Amino acid sequence: MGIRYELTQLLEGAAREAQARSILPAQALPEVILEHPQNPAFGDYACSLPMKLARAARMDPMSLGQALAQLLPSHEAVARVEVAPPGFINFTLAAPWLALQVEAMLKAGMAYGDLDVGHGERLQVEFVSINPTGPLHVGHGRGAVLGDTLARALGAAGFQVETEYYVNDGGNQMEAFYTSLYVRYLQALGQKEAMPDSGYMGSYMMELARELLAERGDALLALPREEAIAQAGRWGLERVLGWIREDLERLGVSFDSWFSEHSLYREGQYERAMGILSQGGFTAEREGALWFISTALGEDKDNVLVRTSGIPTYFASDIAYHYNKFLERGFQRVIDIWGADHQGHVPRMKAAVAALGVAPERLQIILNQMVALRRGEEVLRVSKRTGELITLGELMDEVGADACRFFYLARSADAQMDFDLELAKRQSAENPVYYIQYAHARIASILLLAQGRSIDYASGDVSLLTTEPELALLRKIIQLPEVVETVARTLEPHHLAYYAQELAMVFHLFYRDCRVVTQDVALTRARLKLVEAARLALAKTLYLMGMSAPDKM
RNA sequence: GCCCCUGUAGCUCAGAGGACAGAGCAGCGGUUUCCUAAACCGUGUGCCCGGGUUCGAGUCCCGGCAGGGGUACCA
């Protein structure tokens, strides 16, 4: 579970013991938090608990720290516990214990870093879920990487994770897409037909129409307009979903399921969800439409469920969809990842979930801020309707899938992001992606050399690992479980990107200072074990980020 | 107008209320008889402004300013 967790438990125990001995007042303890001090002189972990307790205990933080430190049982991992002004308890890890961790890492293999904080809780991560009206663009890539990485990290943290893409195969947007395709098809046949105002103007629509023409000839002309649009639409939907699937695959993103909006109506989930809402008194008919009375749940305004036209809104579908997630499929927790342009939808969705009788905390919605695209000084518009767009596929052509993932991942979801294509290309030789992967390739190269010389290091004695560069590498490796825990707790996968850089850095420093394969057979074997552990940690981190771990570069 | 996100080094961004605020890129200068130089070393007057809470604020609260997004019987 990681040494930080163990030390946290010990400190909590000491604090409770202090309460039992009336050193501390018997009141709720603040959460015990261990952090990594910036200054290495303060050890590996620091805790500011004494300062937080000082007032209530009517003691000065230093003596309180001393008292707690004395109640702390000894632990093989801890070489030193120091109380430092103005009231920190600092822990320094023992070098022999650190060295010994190598054995545990090798034993765990790629499972190193896995935790059980999730206790097998079933949760769903739903992301991307864009209307299949066109290819994925650069903004969608961000949500894709965010969701996929989060799902991987939550899986590593011991949750039972299912990923899902919600296919909006109904609704106005799709109708506009179907009609647009049909009109382009007619135009391709030489007919003078105008695109609808709400039509999709991108040039890919014309390509689609030409493909449709090539496949079906003029067969659709013989059909009534509505039927022709429906047939063109079904065909176009499948084609576009195919594009989306291919791009995501290239990005290393796959889904456990693709869920059809349409099925909600086919299989009665829509009716059942609406039934619960009306039974709960959360619906009302007004002005010919059916409304969800969000104001009864503290919202600013009510929202339309069924238009006067009788067609349900996207919101109504989404309620049925979440009814399905929570009440039919029984997910204990659902994480939705949406673009920031959906933020207005968040409070009413939470209200709707509450109206369904589900605690709204079980729905967690992550908004990723917009990606603004630039090519140097030139700002590029990202709009499917007007056509001028940079697709995710083009981005991957330019910078590569690994670099895409890393760049997306290195920013927290709530920071707006400028993706400068020129910069991403220009940096591609000297960017952090290669820095990290190069560390992995260097290790692979060392292991290959050892293999070539038939060095069997299985019996290597890790207690020979005592120098600072070796220990620094170990200290960083043992942080991997902490990073997984952090990502799972905060739902912020960007911590992985920073950890990967730090891990690569300590390895490169180790590499500079410590030659692995030397005449000293015993030390060589020990260091080979260490290097193998470092490879595992790097490979696992790269895996969690969905990036490749090359043996050669 | 109201709501949400953001404002940290020249640029892109990290930063569990803690001890001296970090990294990458860009710039300048250096390192290779040795497991990959896609590496390493050196070089930095920076938390948007004003109040407040706290032993302690880049972090929390209030008020500004700036950028982005939302505010539909669109999704």
Side-chain angles (χ1 to χ4, degrees), chain A residues 302-333:
Chain A
D302 297 333
N303 295 278
V304 171
L305 293 169
V306 183
R307 304 176 176 93
T308 45
S309 64
I311 297 171
T313 58
Y314 162 91
F315 180 45
S317 288
D318 236 14
I319 293 173
Y321 182 35
H322 285 79
Y323 159 81
N324 166 269
K325 293 186 188 203
F326 284 111
L327 297 172
E328 297 205 344
R329 284 192 278 172
F331 288 110
Q332 287 155 39
R333 187 148 62 108

PDB file of all heavy atoms in Angstrom, chain A residues 302-333:
ATOM      1  N   ASP A 302     -36.222  25.933 -14.355  1.00  0.00           N
ATOM      2  CA  ASP A 302     -36.675  24.620 -14.808  1.00  0.00           C
ATOM      3  C   ASP A 302     -36.157  24.348 -16.217  1.00  0.00           C
ATOM      4  O   ASP A 302     -35.685  25.253 -16.895  1.00  0.00           O
ATOM      5  CB  ASP A 302     -38.205  24.575 -14.783  1.00  0.00           C
ATOM      6  CG  ASP A 302     -38.734  24.743 -13.365  1.00  0.00           C
ATOM      7  OD1 ASP A 302     -38.006  24.391 -12.424  1.00  0.00           O
ATOM      8  OD2 ASP A 302     -39.865  25.243 -13.204  1.00  0.00           O
ATOM      9  N   ASN A 303     -36.260  23.087 -16.615  1.00  0.00           N
ATOM     10  CA  ASN A 303     -35.731  22.714 -17.923  1.00  0.00           C
ATOM     11  C   ASN A 303     -36.727  21.850 -18.680  1.00  0.00           C
ATOM     12  O   ASN A 303     -37.401  21.008 -18.095  1.00  0.00           O
ATOM     13  CB  ASN A 303     -34.425  21.919 -17.755  1.00  0.00           C
ATOM     14  CG  ASN A 303     -33.326  22.765 -17.150  1.00  0.00           C
ATOM     15  OD1 ASN A 303     -32.670  23.524 -17.842  1.00  0.00           O
ATOM     16  ND2 ASN A 303     -33.151  22.659 -15.840  1.00  0.00           N
ATOM     17  N   VAL A 304     -36.751  22.054 -19.973  1.00  0.00           N
ATOM     18  CA  VAL A 304     -37.674  21.312 -20.809  1.00  0.00           C
ATOM     19  C   VAL A 304     -37.199  19.874 -21.021  1.00  0.00           C
ATOM     20  O   VAL A 304     -36.022  19.636 -21.306  1.00  0.00           O
ATOM     21  CB  VAL A 304     -37.842  22.007 -22.177  1.00  0.00           C
ATOM     22  CG1 VAL A 304     -38.629  21.123 -23.134  1.00  0.00           C
ATOM     23  CG2 VAL A 304     -38.532  23.343 -22.000  1.00  0.00           C
ATOM     24  N   LEU A 305     -38.128  18.943 -20.828  1.00  0.00           N
ATOM     25  CA  LEU A 305     -37.836  17.533 -21.106  1.00  0.00           C
ATOM     26  C   LEU A 305     -38.356  17.127 -22.482  1.00  0.00           C
ATOM     27  O   LEU A 305     -37.680  16.472 -23.250  1.00  0.00           O
ATOM     28  CB  LEU A 305     -38.480  16.643 -20.038  1.00  0.00           C
ATOM     29  CG  LEU A 305     -37.920  16.764 -18.628  1.00  0.00           C
ATOM     30  CD1 LEU A 305     -38.822  16.043 -17.644  1.00  0.00           C
ATOM     31  CD2 LEU A 305     -36.508  16.208 -18.548  1.00  0.00           C
ATOM     32  N   VAL A 306     -39.637  17.526 -22.730  1.00  0.00           N
ATOM     33  CA  VAL A 306     -40.241  17.195 -24.017  1.00  0.00           C
ATOM     34  C   VAL A 306     -40.764  18.476 -24.657  1.00  0.00           C
ATOM     35  O   VAL A 306     -41.556  19.206 -24.053  1.00  0.00           O
ATOM     36  CB  VAL A 306     -41.405  16.189 -23.850  1.00  0.00           C
ATOM     37  CG1 VAL A 306     -41.959  15.805 -25.222  1.00  0.00           C
ATOM     38  CG2 VAL A 306     -40.938  14.944 -23.101  1.00  0.00           C
ATOM     39  N   ARG A 307     -40.295  18.738 -25.848  1.00  0.00           N
ATOM     40  CA  ARG A 307     -40.673  19.964 -26.557  1.00  0.00           C
ATOM     41  C   ARG A 307     -42.153  19.924 -26.947  1.00  0.00           C
ATOM     42  O   ARG A 307     -42.776  18.860 -26.960  1.00  0.00           O
ATOM     43  CB  ARG A 307     -39.837  20.106 -27.829  1.00  0.00           C
ATOM     44  CG  ARG A 307     -38.337  20.089 -27.605  1.00  0.00           C
ATOM     45  CD  ARG A 307     -37.641  20.142 -28.957  1.00  0.00           C
ATOM     46  NE  ARG A 307     -36.196  20.228 -28.838  1.00  0.00           N
ATOM     47  CZ  ARG A 307     -35.391  19.165 -28.849  1.00  0.00           C
ATOM     48  NH1 ARG A 307     -35.872  17.958 -28.967  1.00  0.00           N
ATOM     49  NH2 ARG A 307     -34.093  19.323 -28.737  1.00  0.00           N
ATOM     50  N   THR A 308     -42.642  21.081 -27.326  1.00  0.00           N
ATOM     51  CA  THR A 308     -44.041  21.141 -27.791  1.00  0.00           C
ATOM     52  C   THR A 308     -44.232  20.242 -29.013  1.00  0.00           C
ATOM     53  O   THR A 308     -45.318  19.750 -29.265  1.00  0.00           O
ATOM     54  CB  THR A 308     -44.441  22.584 -28.159  1.00  0.00           C
ATOM     55  OG1 THR A 308     -43.376  23.150 -28.926  1.00  0.00           O
ATOM     56  CG2 THR A 308     -44.680  23.414 -26.932  1.00  0.00           C
ATOM     57  N   SER A 309     -43.129  20.007 -29.728  1.00  0.00           N
ATOM     58  CA  SER A 309     -43.197  19.130 -30.900  1.00  0.00           C
ATOM     59  C   SER A 309     -43.343  17.666 -30.499  1.00  0.00           C
ATOM     60  O   SER A 309     -43.554  16.816 -31.353  1.00  0.00           O
ATOM     61  CB  SER A 309     -41.918  19.293 -31.719  1.00  0.00           C
ATOM     62  OG  SER A 309     -40.807  18.846 -30.956  1.00  0.00           O
ATOM     63  N   GLY A 310     -43.193  17.382 -29.212  1.00  0.00           N
ATOM     64  CA  GLY A 310     -43.291  16.008 -28.753  1.00  0.00           C
ATOM     65  C   GLY A 310     -41.958  15.280 -28.754  1.00  0.00           C
ATOM     66  O   GLY A 310     -41.856  14.141 -28.306  1.00  0.00           O
ATOM     67  N   ILE A 311     -40.912  15.959 -29.239  1.00  0.00           N
ATOM     68  CA  ILE A 311     -39.589  15.323 -29.285  1.00  0.00           C
ATOM     69  C   ILE A 311     -38.832  15.617 -27.997  1.00  0.00           C
ATOM     70  O   ILE A 311     -38.732  16.769 -27.572  1.00  0.00           O
ATOM     71  CB  ILE A 311     -38.792  15.847 -30.498  1.00  0.00           C
ATOM     72  CG1 ILE A 311     -39.524  15.456 -31.788  1.00  0.00           C
ATOM     73  CG2 ILE A 311     -37.370  15.300 -30.491  1.00  0.00           C
ATOM     74  CD1 ILE A 311     -38.951  16.097 -33.021  1.00  0.00           C
ATOM     75  N   PRO A 312     -38.320  14.584 -27.343  1.00  0.00           N
ATOM     76  CA  PRO A 312     -37.579  14.801 -26.091  1.00  0.00           C
ATOM     77  C   PRO A 312     -36.285  15.571 -26.339  1.00  0.00           C
ATOM     78  O   PRO A 312     -35.685  15.460 -27.408  1.00  0.00           O
ATOM     79  CB  PRO A 312     -37.254  13.387 -25.611  1.00  0.00           C
ATOM     80  CG  PRO A 312     -38.074  12.467 -26.438  1.00  0.00           C
ATOM     81  CD  PRO A 312     -38.404  13.163 -27.704  1.00  0.00           C
ATOM     82  N   THR A 313     -35.878  16.340 -25.346  1.00  0.00           N
ATOM     83  CA  THR A 313     -34.606  17.057 -25.460  1.00  0.00           C
ATOM     84  C   THR A 313     -33.449  16.111 -25.138  1.00  0.00           C
ATOM     85  O   THR A 313     -33.641  15.023 -24.605  1.00  0.00           O
ATOM     86  CB  THR A 313     -34.540  18.220 -24.457  1.00  0.00           C
ATOM     87  OG1 THR A 313     -34.709  17.684 -23.133  1.00  0.00           O
ATOM     88  CG2 THR A 313     -35.621  19.248 -24.716  1.00  0.00           C
ATOM     89  N   TYR A 314     -32.260  16.593 -25.457  1.00  0.00           N
ATOM     90  CA  TYR A 314     -31.025  15.899 -25.105  1.00  0.00           C
ATOM     91  C   TYR A 314     -30.981  15.643 -23.593  1.00  0.00           C
ATOM     92  O   TYR A 314     -30.547  14.583 -23.135  1.00  0.00           O
ATOM     93  CB  TYR A 314     -29.856  16.780 -25.545  1.00  0.00           C
ATOM     94  CG  TYR A 314     -28.521  16.475 -24.932  1.00  0.00           C
ATOM     95  CD1 TYR A 314     -27.641  15.593 -25.533  1.00  0.00           C
ATOM     96  CD2 TYR A 314     -28.125  17.105 -23.753  1.00  0.00           C
ATOM     97  CE1 TYR A 314     -26.409  15.329 -24.979  1.00  0.00           C
ATOM     98  CE2 TYR A 314     -26.897  16.842 -23.190  1.00  0.00           C
ATOM     99  CZ  TYR A 314     -26.041  15.964 -23.803  1.00  0.00           C
ATOM    100  OH  TYR A 314     -24.824  15.708 -23.231  1.00  0.00           O
ATOM    101  N   PHE A 315     -31.474  16.622 -22.848  1.00  0.00           N
ATOM    102  CA  PHE A 315     -31.476  16.513 -21.390  1.00  0.00           C
ATOM    103  C   PHE A 315     -32.303  15.308 -20.935  1.00  0.00           C
ATOM    104  O   PHE A 315     -31.883  14.533 -20.073  1.00  0.00           O
ATOM    105  CB  PHE A 315     -32.018  17.817 -20.805  1.00  0.00           C
ATOM    106  CG  PHE A 315     -32.090  17.856 -19.299  1.00  0.00           C
ATOM    107  CD1 PHE A 315     -31.035  17.395 -18.518  1.00  0.00           C
ATOM    108  CD2 PHE A 315     -33.213  18.373 -18.660  1.00  0.00           C
ATOM    109  CE1 PHE A 315     -31.095  17.445 -17.132  1.00  0.00           C
ATOM    110  CE2 PHE A 315     -33.277  18.420 -17.277  1.00  0.00           C
ATOM    111  CZ  PHE A 315     -32.223  17.958 -16.519  1.00  0.00           C
ATOM    112  N   ALA A 316     -33.481  15.130 -21.567  1.00  0.00           N
ATOM    113  CA  ALA A 316     -34.342  13.995 -21.214  1.00  0.00           C
ATOM    114  C   ALA A 316     -33.634  12.673 -21.508  1.00  0.00           C
ATOM    115  O   ALA A 316     -33.660  11.731 -20.714  1.00  0.00           O
ATOM    116  CB  ALA A 316     -35.659  14.075 -21.971  1.00  0.00           C
ATOM    117  N   SER A 317     -32.954  12.606 -22.647  1.00  0.00           N
ATOM    118  CA  SER A 317     -32.188  11.408 -22.979  1.00  0.00           C
ATOM    119  C   SER A 317     -31.123  11.140 -21.930  1.00  0.00           C
ATOM    120  O   SER A 317     -30.908  10.012 -21.509  1.00  0.00           O
ATOM    121  CB  SER A 317     -31.483  11.579 -24.332  1.00  0.00           C
ATOM    122  OG  SER A 317     -32.405  11.525 -25.392  1.00  0.00           O
ATOM    123  N   ASP A 318     -30.471  12.219 -21.537  1.00  0.00           N
ATOM    124  CA  ASP A 318     -29.375  12.074 -20.595  1.00  0.00           C
ATOM    125  C   ASP A 318     -29.874  11.601 -19.234  1.00  0.00           C
ATOM    126  O   ASP A 318     -29.174  10.881 -18.518  1.00  0.00           O
ATOM    127  CB  ASP A 318     -28.632  13.402 -20.460  1.00  0.00           C
ATOM    128  CG  ASP A 318     -27.156  13.247 -20.758  1.00  0.00           C
ATOM    129  OD1 ASP A 318     -26.784  12.192 -21.323  1.00  0.00           O
ATOM    130  OD2 ASP A 318     -26.370  14.152 -20.425  1.00  0.00           O
ATOM    131  N   ILE A 319     -31.066  12.004 -18.875  1.00  0.00           N
ATOM    132  CA  ILE A 319     -31.645  11.524 -17.621  1.00  0.00           C
ATOM    133  C   ILE A 319     -31.898  10.020 -17.721  1.00  0.00           C
ATOM    134  O   ILE A 319     -31.547   9.248 -16.822  1.00  0.00           O
ATOM    135  CB  ILE A 319     -32.949  12.281 -17.291  1.00  0.00           C
ATOM    136  CG1 ILE A 319     -32.632  13.749 -16.978  1.00  0.00           C
ATOM    137  CG2 ILE A 319     -33.658  11.630 -16.089  1.00  0.00           C
ATOM    138  CD1 ILE A 319     -33.864  14.613 -16.793  1.00  0.00           C
ATOM    139  N   ALA A 320     -32.462   9.622 -18.853  1.00  0.00           N
ATOM    140  CA  ALA A 320     -32.703   8.190 -19.056  1.00  0.00           C
ATOM    141  C   ALA A 320     -31.387   7.418 -19.050  1.00  0.00           C
ATOM    142  O   ALA A 320     -31.288   6.319 -18.499  1.00  0.00           O
ATOM    143  CB  ALA A 320     -33.439   7.968 -20.373  1.00  0.00           C
ATOM    144  N   TYR A 321     -30.384   8.014 -19.657  1.00  0.00           N
ATOM    145  CA  TYR A 321     -29.066   7.377 -19.719  1.00  0.00           C
ATOM    146  C   TYR A 321     -28.494   7.193 -18.313  1.00  0.00           C
ATOM    147  O   TYR A 321     -27.977   6.126 -17.971  1.00  0.00           O
ATOM    148  CB  TYR A 321     -28.144   8.238 -20.577  1.00  0.00           C
ATOM    149  CG  TYR A 321     -26.748   7.692 -20.791  1.00  0.00           C
ATOM    150  CD1 TYR A 321     -26.512   6.321 -20.904  1.00  0.00           C
ATOM    151  CD2 TYR A 321     -25.658   8.564 -20.900  1.00  0.00           C
ATOM    152  CE1 TYR A 321     -25.229   5.839 -21.118  1.00  0.00           C
ATOM    153  CE2 TYR A 321     -24.383   8.084 -21.119  1.00  0.00           C
ATOM    154  CZ  TYR A 321     -24.168   6.725 -21.220  1.00  0.00           C
ATOM    155  OH  TYR A 321     -22.898   6.255 -21.430  1.00  0.00           O
ATOM    156  N   HIS A 322     -28.604   8.200 -17.486  1.00  0.00           N
ATOM    157  CA  HIS A 322     -28.063   8.089 -16.131  1.00  0.00           C
ATOM    158  C   HIS A 322     -28.929   7.206 -15.239  1.00  0.00           C
ATOM    159  O   HIS A 322     -28.429   6.560 -14.318  1.00  0.00           O
ATOM    160  CB  HIS A 322     -27.821   9.477 -15.535  1.00  0.00           C
ATOM    161  CG  HIS A 322     -26.603  10.128 -16.117  1.00  0.00           C
ATOM    162  ND1 HIS A 322     -26.611  10.745 -17.354  1.00  0.00           N
ATOM    163  CD2 HIS A 322     -25.318  10.196 -15.683  1.00  0.00           C
ATOM    164  CE1 HIS A 322     -25.391  11.181 -17.634  1.00  0.00           C
ATOM    165  NE2 HIS A 322     -24.592  10.863 -16.641  1.00  0.00           N
ATOM    166  N   TYR A 323     -30.219   7.173 -15.542  1.00  0.00           N
ATOM    167  CA  TYR A 323     -31.081   6.191 -14.876  1.00  0.00           C
ATOM    168  C   TYR A 323     -30.543   4.795 -15.174  1.00  0.00           C
ATOM    169  O   TYR A 323     -30.407   3.947 -14.291  1.00  0.00           O
ATOM    170  CB  TYR A 323     -32.516   6.341 -15.398  1.00  0.00           C
ATOM    171  CG  TYR A 323     -33.385   5.117 -15.202  1.00  0.00           C
ATOM    172  CD1 TYR A 323     -33.987   4.862 -13.966  1.00  0.00           C
ATOM    173  CD2 TYR A 323     -33.572   4.208 -16.245  1.00  0.00           C
ATOM    174  CE1 TYR A 323     -34.749   3.727 -13.782  1.00  0.00           C
ATOM    175  CE2 TYR A 323     -34.331   3.075 -16.063  1.00  0.00           C
ATOM    176  CZ  TYR A 323     -34.919   2.831 -14.842  1.00  0.00           C
ATOM    177  OH  TYR A 323     -35.670   1.705 -14.651  1.00  0.00           O
ATOM    178  N   ASN A 324     -30.209   4.569 -16.432  1.00  0.00           N
ATOM    179  CA  ASN A 324     -29.662   3.282 -16.841  1.00  0.00           C
ATOM    180  C   ASN A 324     -28.336   2.973 -16.133  1.00  0.00           C
ATOM    181  O   ASN A 324     -28.107   1.864 -15.642  1.00  0.00           O
ATOM    182  CB  ASN A 324     -29.467   3.279 -18.362  1.00  0.00           C
ATOM    183  CG  ASN A 324     -28.588   2.129 -18.830  1.00  0.00           C
ATOM    184  OD1 ASN A 324     -27.373   2.275 -18.925  1.00  0.00           O
ATOM    185  ND2 ASN A 324     -29.194   0.979 -19.070  1.00  0.00           N
ATOM    186  N   LYS A 325     -27.467   3.969 -16.044  1.00  0.00           N
ATOM    187  CA  LYS A 325     -26.159   3.751 -15.422  1.00  0.00           C
ATOM    188  C   LYS A 325     -26.302   3.372 -13.945  1.00  0.00           C
ATOM    189  O   LYS A 325     -25.699   2.401 -13.480  1.00  0.00           O
ATOM    190  CB  LYS A 325     -25.314   5.033 -15.504  1.00  0.00           C
ATOM    191  CG  LYS A 325     -24.889   5.451 -16.899  1.00  0.00           C
ATOM    192  CD  LYS A 325     -23.944   6.660 -16.785  1.00  0.00           C
ATOM    193  CE  LYS A 325     -23.637   7.267 -18.137  1.00  0.00           C
ATOM    194  NZ  LYS A 325     -22.363   8.025 -18.116  1.00  0.00           N
ATOM    195  N   PHE A 326     -27.107   4.146 -13.240  1.00  0.00           N
ATOM    196  CA  PHE A 326     -27.171   3.950 -11.788  1.00  0.00           C
ATOM    197  C   PHE A 326     -28.159   2.858 -11.390  1.00  0.00           C
ATOM    198  O   PHE A 326     -27.834   2.001 -10.576  1.00  0.00           O
ATOM    199  CB  PHE A 326     -27.563   5.258 -11.091  1.00  0.00           C
ATOM    200  CG  PHE A 326     -26.461   6.261 -11.014  1.00  0.00           C
ATOM    201  CD1 PHE A 326     -26.505   7.431 -11.756  1.00  0.00           C
ATOM    202  CD2 PHE A 326     -25.362   6.026 -10.196  1.00  0.00           C
ATOM    203  CE1 PHE A 326     -25.476   8.349 -11.688  1.00  0.00           C
ATOM    204  CE2 PHE A 326     -24.328   6.949 -10.114  1.00  0.00           C
ATOM    205  CZ  PHE A 326     -24.385   8.116 -10.863  1.00  0.00           C
ATOM    206  N   LEU A 327     -29.355   2.912 -11.954  1.00  0.00           N
ATOM    207  CA  LEU A 327     -30.408   2.049 -11.435  1.00  0.00           C
ATOM    208  C   LEU A 327     -30.518   0.722 -12.173  1.00  0.00           C
ATOM    209  O   LEU A 327     -30.972  -0.261 -11.603  1.00  0.00           O
ATOM    210  CB  LEU A 327     -31.743   2.791 -11.456  1.00  0.00           C
ATOM    211  CG  LEU A 327     -31.727   4.020 -10.537  1.00  0.00           C
ATOM    212  CD1 LEU A 327     -32.978   4.853 -10.706  1.00  0.00           C
ATOM    213  CD2 LEU A 327     -31.564   3.603  -9.083  1.00  0.00           C
ATOM    214  N   GLU A 328     -30.124   0.675 -13.435  1.00  0.00           N
ATOM    215  CA  GLU A 328     -30.211  -0.601 -14.134  1.00  0.00           C
ATOM    216  C   GLU A 328     -28.880  -1.336 -14.140  1.00  0.00           C
ATOM    217  O   GLU A 328     -28.821  -2.526 -13.921  1.00  0.00           O
ATOM    218  CB  GLU A 328     -30.739  -0.395 -15.557  1.00  0.00           C
ATOM    219  CG  GLU A 328     -32.161   0.160 -15.525  1.00  0.00           C
ATOM    220  CD  GLU A 328     -32.965  -0.147 -16.768  1.00  0.00           C
ATOM    221  OE1 GLU A 328     -32.377  -0.532 -17.797  1.00  0.00           O
ATOM    222  OE2 GLU A 328     -34.204   0.021 -16.707  1.00  0.00           O
ATOM    223  N   ARG A 329     -27.790  -0.588 -14.391  1.00  0.00           N
ATOM    224  CA  ARG A 329     -26.498  -1.275 -14.395  1.00  0.00           C
ATOM    225  C   ARG A 329     -25.808  -1.235 -13.036  1.00  0.00           C
ATOM    226  O   ARG A 329     -24.821  -1.926 -12.823  1.00  0.00           O
ATOM    227  CB  ARG A 329     -25.607  -0.693 -15.495  1.00  0.00           C
ATOM    228  CG  ARG A 329     -26.034  -1.199 -16.873  1.00  0.00           C
ATOM    229  CD  ARG A 329     -25.012  -0.875 -17.918  1.00  0.00           C
ATOM    230  NE  ARG A 329     -25.161   0.502 -18.398  1.00  0.00           N
ATOM    231  CZ  ARG A 329     -24.280   1.094 -19.212  1.00  0.00           C
ATOM    232  NH1 ARG A 329     -23.190   0.441 -19.590  1.00  0.00           N
ATOM    233  NH2 ARG A 329     -24.486   2.319 -19.628  1.00  0.00           N
ATOM    234  N   GLY A 330     -26.294  -0.395 -12.146  1.00  0.00           N
ATOM    235  CA  GLY A 330     -25.828  -0.433 -10.766  1.00  0.00           C
ATOM    236  C   GLY A 330     -24.407   0.041 -10.517  1.00  0.00           C
ATOM    237  O   GLY A 330     -23.748  -0.429  -9.590  1.00  0.00           O
ATOM    238  N   PHE A 331     -23.913   0.998 -11.306  1.00  0.00           N
ATOM    239  CA  PHE A 331     -22.593   1.545 -10.995  1.00  0.00           C
ATOM    240  C   PHE A 331     -22.664   2.301  -9.676  1.00  0.00           C
ATOM    241  O   PHE A 331     -23.611   3.047  -9.428  1.00  0.00           O
ATOM    242  CB  PHE A 331     -22.117   2.491 -12.100  1.00  0.00           C
ATOM    243  CG  PHE A 331     -21.736   1.781 -13.367  1.00  0.00           C
ATOM    244  CD1 PHE A 331     -22.512   1.895 -14.505  1.00  0.00           C
ATOM    245  CD2 PHE A 331     -20.605   0.973 -13.409  1.00  0.00           C
ATOM    246  CE1 PHE A 331     -22.161   1.229 -15.674  1.00  0.00           C
ATOM    247  CE2 PHE A 331     -20.255   0.297 -14.566  1.00  0.00           C
ATOM    248  CZ  PHE A 331     -21.033   0.428 -15.701  1.00  0.00           C
ATOM    249  N   GLN A 332     -21.662   2.080  -8.839  1.00  0.00           N
ATOM    250  CA  GLN A 332     -21.657   2.790  -7.568  1.00  0.00           C
ATOM    251  C   GLN A 332     -21.256   4.235  -7.771  1.00  0.00           C
ATOM    252  O   GLN A 332     -21.654   5.124  -7.023  1.00  0.00           O
ATOM    253  CB  GLN A 332     -20.708   2.089  -6.592  1.00  0.00           C
ATOM    254  CG  GLN A 332     -21.315   0.779  -6.088  1.00  0.00           C
ATOM    255  CD  GLN A 332     -20.259  -0.229  -5.645  1.00  0.00           C
ATOM    256  OE1 GLN A 332     -19.260   0.134  -5.052  1.00  0.00           O
ATOM    257  NE2 GLN A 332     -20.472  -1.480  -5.964  1.00  0.00           N
ATOM    258  N   ARG A 333     -20.445   4.439  -8.791  1.00  0.00           N
ATOM    259  CA  ARG A 333     -20.007   5.803  -9.068  1.00  0.00           C
ATOM    260  C   ARG A 333     -19.873   5.945 -10.578  1.00  0.00           C
ATOM    261  O   ARG A 333     -19.481   4.998 -11.257  1.00  0.00           O
ATOM    262  CB  ARG A 333     -18.662   6.055  -8.389  1.00  0.00           C
ATOM    263  CG  ARG A 333     -18.166   7.448  -8.439  1.00  0.00           C
ATOM    264  CD  ARG A 333     -17.347   7.792  -7.187  1.00  0.00           C
ATOM    265  NE  ARG A 333     -16.152   6.979  -7.018  1.00  0.00           N
ATOM    266  CZ  ARG A 333     -14.909   7.462  -7.210  1.00  0.00           C
ATOM    267  NH1 ARG A 333     -14.708   8.696  -7.596  1.00  0.00           N
ATOM    268  NH2 ARG A 333     -13.874   6.681  -7.010  1.00  0.00           N
TER     269      ARG A 333
END
